[in-house]
Amino acid sequence: MGKTSYTITVCSDSVGETAEAVVRAAIRQFEAPQVKIKRHMNVRNEEELRQVMEEAAESGGFVAYTLVQPELRAAIKEQAIHLNVRIVDVMGPMIQAFVDTFADEPKRLPGLLHRLDADYFQRVEAVEFAVKCDDGKDLNAILKADIVLLGVSRTSKTPLSVFLAHKGKKVVNYPVVPEIQPPEHLYGISPGKIIGLTMNAEHLLKIRSERLKAMGLPLLARYASLDRIVEELEYARTLFDRLGCPVIDVTDKAIEETAGIVMDLIP
Amino acid sequence: MGKTSYTITVCSDSVGETAEAVVRAAIRQFEAPQVKIKRHMNVRNEEELRQVMEEAAESGGFVAYTLVQPELRAAIKEQAIHLNVRIVDVMGPMIQAFVDTFADEPKRLPGLLHRLDADYFQRVEAVEFAVKCDDGKDLNAILKADIVLLGVSRTSKTPLSVFLAHKGKKVVNYPVVPEIQPPEHLYGISPGKIIGLTMNAEHLLKIRSERLKAMGLPLLARYASLDRIVEELEYARTLFDRLGCPVIDVTDKAIEETAGIVMDLIP
């Protein structure tokens, strides 16, 4: 890498989440560069836009933008030429494809103005549901859930629940422990709603050991012994068989990937 | 709208999260269209790609893709012409801007292969932290947190905590109630870590009333009376003043927008 740090400017007439997500995905394609993302949100007129572009011209780098209002879209192209700043239109090609393919016209309203819709509130409620029902805290919630995740400790139940909640799904997760009877409610719902999570035993041993270290606890605990882990995983496997639910092996899978598989199984 | 339903295909050699996010943002620009998103992930060779494109050609619509391997990028362009399917390259222009601006070369590895990095684990841990520390469940966690959110009931503390956790921030939230003494720990940390959340009283009344209705509880509860809400908000304001923390009015703000403001205050 030639430089030690890069600056990428994100400019949006809404929040800029989409543009920043694409920037972050692109950054992952390069060797650990020190990239500073400067986000300007709610840019709503040409004067504000001019300030963003002048700042970007000074800091170097390029500007990724999501602007939907035609006058701002025209203005950023002018400013880019004028100030010699490279710009990337994150949403434009997608919106154009939509228009061309479906012969529809865009509303051209910044995201925020129509973001607080039913879908938005459903997602917020789903996140609250996931948090309140984490780790078996509310057994009755199993009956209200779209998805029930089961797995032994450290099989990514919590982050997976929250990630799925962001997609609007009501998720509960319940820990599987050989010494504790699984809740009766599990047998009262459709097995199609239940997902079992499993993991390679050695991998789980590593994760649990790191967990104990991070908590400052001795590694000798039974929790982080291979015998105990194999016992737990076998008990979980028997439970999953009895419930007749699909099982996902999350070893080496990112939360996003596991979530994709869950969404395919329970659309 | 001419058609009743549209299909958009997402094709990725990784998970396809980024492409789907841009598709969803674009969809919001159109009047409530019934769009079906069909996501194909882990597409790793030309044969798999051909199947995706043939399916897309049959279902109509267009294909949004994130492919980083050069042979797949070439193949999708050929297939698009051959099958007459419109394609949108979600990451390509951004990666090109990066290369041109910073004179760097991309790794061309699908996201998954280098997704399980330190940054990823930090974010997963932050989500677990937020869930475990929701609603004042662990007072000692205040000392370990990057961000402490304070607010009366229904000021979006939980979803905001989780959203910030996805950005890698360790967040605790603590409910403000006039009858309960705020935790001593609040005075032991930098006020720069604390954020107060407030909301217009009438708006909060509406939200709380809807909440009670959803829970099947009578609306007469003091919880959803304007007097009580004004009292709570005034108490919260006094507490925020005493702590010397910044206050964000979340009325009509989307979680993403409030999160953006928090990240500007506590980078």
Side-chain angles (χ1 to χ4, degrees):
Chain A
M1 307 275 298
K3 282 186 62 176
T4 46
S5 87
Y6 303 153
T7 298
I8 297 174
T9 302
V10 167
C11 175
S12 176
D13 49 14
S14 176
V15 178
E17 271 296 305
T18 310
E20 188 167 330
V22 179
V23 168
R24 290 196 182 278
I27 290 171
R28 282 199 289 270
Q29 285 302 313
F30 297 87
E31 295 291 342
Q34 295 299 309
V35 180
K36 206 179 131 199
I37 299 175
K38 187 130 212 307
R39 176 150 67 152
H40 299 268
M41 51 186 181
N42 294 327
V43 174
R44 291 289 163 85
N45 59 55
E46 292 186 32
E47 176 53 26
E48 285 171 16
L49 184 62
R50 199 179 52 73
Q51 284 175 21
V52 171
M53 289 298 283
E54 282 175 0
E55 208 181 289
E58 261 182 51
S59 63
F62 62 89
V63 178
Y65 69 96
T66 44
L67 296 169
V68 294
Q69 292 161 90
E71 60 277 16
L72 291 182
R73 293 180 58 79
I76 198 168
K77 282 168 200 159
E78 279 167 30
Q79 290 287 334
I81 295 165
H82 177 60
L83 295 164
N84 194 28
V85 172
R86 178 152 189 160
I87 54 174
V88 179
D89 183 1
V90 176
M91 294 254 290
M94 191 78 80
I95 288 178
Q96 195 57 50
F98 210 102
V99 170
D100 293 349
T101 312
F102 305 124
D104 206 339
E105 273 304 310
K107 291 186 278 190
R108 303 226 176 264
L109 293 173
L112 270 183
L113 300 181
H114 50 100
R115 177 162 253 169
L116 300 170
D117 53 8
D119 178 61
Y120 171 82
F121 287 109
Q122 189 192 329
R123 281 182 288 123
V124 167
E125 211 177 293
V127 169
E128 292 182 337
F129 185 86
V131 171
K132 305 291 178 230
C133 305
D134 182 55
D135 211 30
K137 279 189 304 239
D138 181 353
L139 291 185
N140 286 315
I142 288 178
L143 303 174
K144 283 179 255 162
D146 300 316
I147 298 169
V148 178
L149 301 176
L150 301 178
V152 305
S153 176
R154 296 281 107 195
T155 47
S156 71
K157 294 186 298 293
T158 299
L160 182 59
S161 297
V162 170
F163 193 91
L164 288 164
H166 278 289
K167 306 273 174 192
K169 298 287 181 188
K170 290 177 107 165
V171 186
V172 301
N173 70 74
Y174 184 80
V176 176
V177 187
E179 289 73 23
I180 298 171
Q181 196 74 355
E184 276 302 313
H185 286 323
L186 283 179
Y187 299 95
I189 59 168
S190 156
K193 279 186 173 185
I194 305 175
I195 302 273
L197 303 176
T198 191
M199 195 185 270
N200 169 280
E202 274 83 13
H203 193 75
L204 188 52
L205 175 66
K206 218 178 113 212
I207 290 177
R208 287 196 181 175
S209 303
E210 278 167 19
R211 182 72 180 174
L212 289 180
K213 226 189 297 175
M215 294 169 79
L217 295 170
L219 289 183
L220 294 167
R222 188 131 182 278
Y223 176 78
S225 75
L226 195 56
D227 279 1
R228 170 63 180 178
I229 287 170
V230 168
E231 180 196 347
E232 286 184 30
L233 289 173
E234 273 172 11
Y235 173 80
R237 166 65 63 178
T238 314
L239 175 66
F240 300 157
D241 281 350
R242 206 169 347 132
L243 291 166
C245 67
V247 178
I248 303 174
D249 184 342
V250 300
T251 315
D252 287 326
K253 279 198 186 69
I255 302 299
E256 297 90 318
E257 194 180 14
T258 311
I261 298 169
V262 173
M263 298 283 282
D264 281 344
L265 289 166
I266 306 174
Chain B
M1 306 276 298
K3 282 186 61 177
T4 46
S5 86
Y6 303 152
T7 299
I8 297 174
T9 302
V10 167
C11 175
S12 176
D13 48 14
S14 175
V15 178
E17 271 296 305
T18 310
E20 188 166 331
V22 179
V23 168
R24 290 197 183 278
I27 291 171
R28 281 199 290 270
Q29 285 301 314
F30 298 86
E31 294 292 344
Q34 296 298 309
V35 180
K36 205 180 131 201
I37 299 175
K38 186 128 212 297
R39 176 150 66 153
H40 299 268
M41 50 187 182
N42 295 325
V43 175
R44 291 288 163 85
N45 59 55
E46 292 187 31
E47 176 53 27
E48 285 171 17
L49 184 63
R50 199 179 52 74
Q51 284 176 19
V52 171
M53 290 297 284
E54 282 175 0
E55 207 182 291
E58 259 182 50
S59 63
F62 61 89
V63 178
Y65 69 97
T66 46
L67 296 169
V68 294
Q69 293 162 90
E71 60 277 16
L72 291 181
R73 293 179 57 79
I76 199 168
K77 282 168 200 160
E78 278 166 32
Q79 290 288 335
I81 295 165
H82 176 61
L83 295 164
N84 194 28
V85 172
R86 179 154 189 157
I87 54 174
V88 179
D89 183 0
V90 176
M91 293 254 291
M94 191 77 80
I95 289 178
Q96 195 56 50
F98 210 103
V99 170
D100 293 350
T101 312
F102 304 125
D104 205 341
E105 274 303 312
K107 292 185 281 191
R108 302 224 177 268
L109 293 174
L112 270 183
L113 299 182
H114 50 101
R115 177 162 249 167
L116 300 170
D117 53 7
D119 178 61
Y120 171 83
F121 288 109
Q122 189 192 330
R123 282 183 287 121
V124 167
E125 211 179 293
V127 169
E128 292 182 338
F129 185 86
V131 170
K132 306 290 179 229
C133 305
D134 182 57
D135 210 31
K137 278 187 304 235
D138 181 353
L139 292 184
N140 287 316
I142 289 178
L143 303 173
K144 284 179 255 164
D146 301 316
I147 298 169
V148 179
L149 300 176
L150 302 178
V152 304
S153 176
R154 295 282 107 197
T155 47
S156 70
K157 294 186 297 295
T158 299
L160 182 59
S161 297
V162 170
F163 194 91
L164 288 165
H166 278 291
K167 306 274 175 192
K169 298 288 182 188
K170 289 177 107 165
V171 187
V172 301
N173 70 74
Y174 184 81
V176 176
V177 187
E179 289 72 25
I180 298 171
Q181 197 74 356
E184 277 302 314
H185 286 323
L186 284 179
Y187 299 95
I189 59 167
S190 156
K193 280 187 175 185
I194 305 174
I195 301 272
L197 302 176
T198 191
M199 196 186 268
N200 169 281
E202 274 84 11
H203 193 75
L204 188 51
L205 174 67
K206 218 178 113 211
I207 290 177
R208 286 196 181 176
S209 304
E210 277 167 21
R211 182 73 179 172
L212 289 180
K213 225 188 298 175
M215 293 169 80
L217 294 170
L219 290 184
L220 294 168
R222 190 131 180 277
Y223 176 79
S225 75
L226 196 56
D227 279 1
R228 170 63 180 178
I229 286 171
V230 168
E231 180 196 347
E232 286 184 29
L233 289 173
E234 273 171 11
Y235 172 80
R237 167 65 65 177
T238 315
L239 175 65
F240 300 157
D241 281 352
R242 206 168 347 132
L243 291 166
C245 67
V247 179
I248 303 175
D249 183 342
V250 301
T251 315
D252 287 326
K253 278 197 186 71
I255 302 299
E256 297 92 317
E257 193 179 15
T258 310
I261 298 169
V262 173
M263 298 283 282
D264 281 344
L265 290 165
I266 307 175

